[in-house]
Amino acid sequence: MELNNIRPAVGSTKTRKRIGRGAGSGRGGTSTRGHKGAKSRSGYSRKIGFEGGQMPLQRRLPKFGFKNINRVEYKAINIGLLQSLAEAKNLTKIGLEELRQAGYINSRQLVKILAEGTLTLAINVEANAFSAAAQKAIEEAGGTIAKV
């Protein structure tokens, strides 16, 4: 076998439909486009979402929703995670840098501390925002909070 005699598998290829090659070809005349209408014309290209003149789906459905351009998005970190991180690394202060090094956030994320889990260690926590319940839990455990 040489590169010059490689052929596709039998039945895997079809001959192309040769359109507009005279009446004797069986595909002359209208060249398989039918009579009249936009699709029979040269230069026709169907618009995205066009449904033959019927009102398109994207125009039939009602508009809804709202995106607040001033939304501030926070990465949620629970106090249970702070507890486990402080135990694992023997920390008394947990800030944004400690969370970055542990791989919980990246450098561009803002952090909000939430109250899921339990906290028994007195930890000084530094974050961008705190829920009221998380703030209460940290202070009850003997720690302090600092908003950055």
Side-chain angles (χ1 to χ4, degrees):
M1 181 184 284
E2 303 286 323
L3 286 178
N4 65 340
N5 61 17
I6 294 176
R7 297 278 174 267
V10 176
S12 68
T13 60
K14 288 181 177 178
T15 52
R16 171 175 80 82
K17 190 191 281 190
R18 295 189 72 225
I19 294 169
R21 292 295 182 276
S25 70
R27 297 197 183 95
T30 59
S31 302
T32 73
R33 288 170 175 247
H35 297 279
K36 298 185 184 174
K39 287 186 192 171
S40 71
R41 315 288 184 204
S42 67
Y44 168 76
S45 77
R46 185 178 52 89
K47 305 285 185 286
I48 294 171
F50 183 67
E51 297 182 19
Q54 171 177 297
M55 187 61 68
L57 182 67
Q58 74 271 17
R59 291 189 58 199
R60 290 196 303 262
L61 297 176
K63 291 187 280 186
F64 69 96
F66 169 74
K67 276 254 200 267
N68 185 357
I69 59 168
N70 299 317
R71 175 179 162 80
V72 178
E73 202 159 315
Y74 291 99
K75 173 76 177 181
I77 302 285
N78 287 306
I79 59 173
L81 188 121
L82 296 179
Q83 173 79 24
S84 60
L85 183 63
E87 286 172 353
K89 299 202 175 186
N90 202 18
L91 300 172
T92 57
K93 178 200 169 282
I94 296 179
L96 299 178
E97 196 51 47
E98 287 78 15
L99 291 170
R100 271 189 208 108
Q101 288 171 354
Y104 293 114
I105 61 169
N106 65 35
S107 59
R108 294 176 305 281
Q109 287 176 316
L110 299 175
V111 175
K112 183 169 185 173
I113 306 297
L114 304 178
E116 180 102 0
T118 57
L119 185 65
T120 56
L121 297 172
I123 307 170
N124 301 329
V125 184
E126 185 182 282
N128 302 102
F130 294 86
S131 70
Q135 183 173 342
K136 183 180 171 200
I138 292 167
E139 288 169 351
E140 281 179 359
T144 61
I145 65 158
K147 289 186 182 176
V148 181

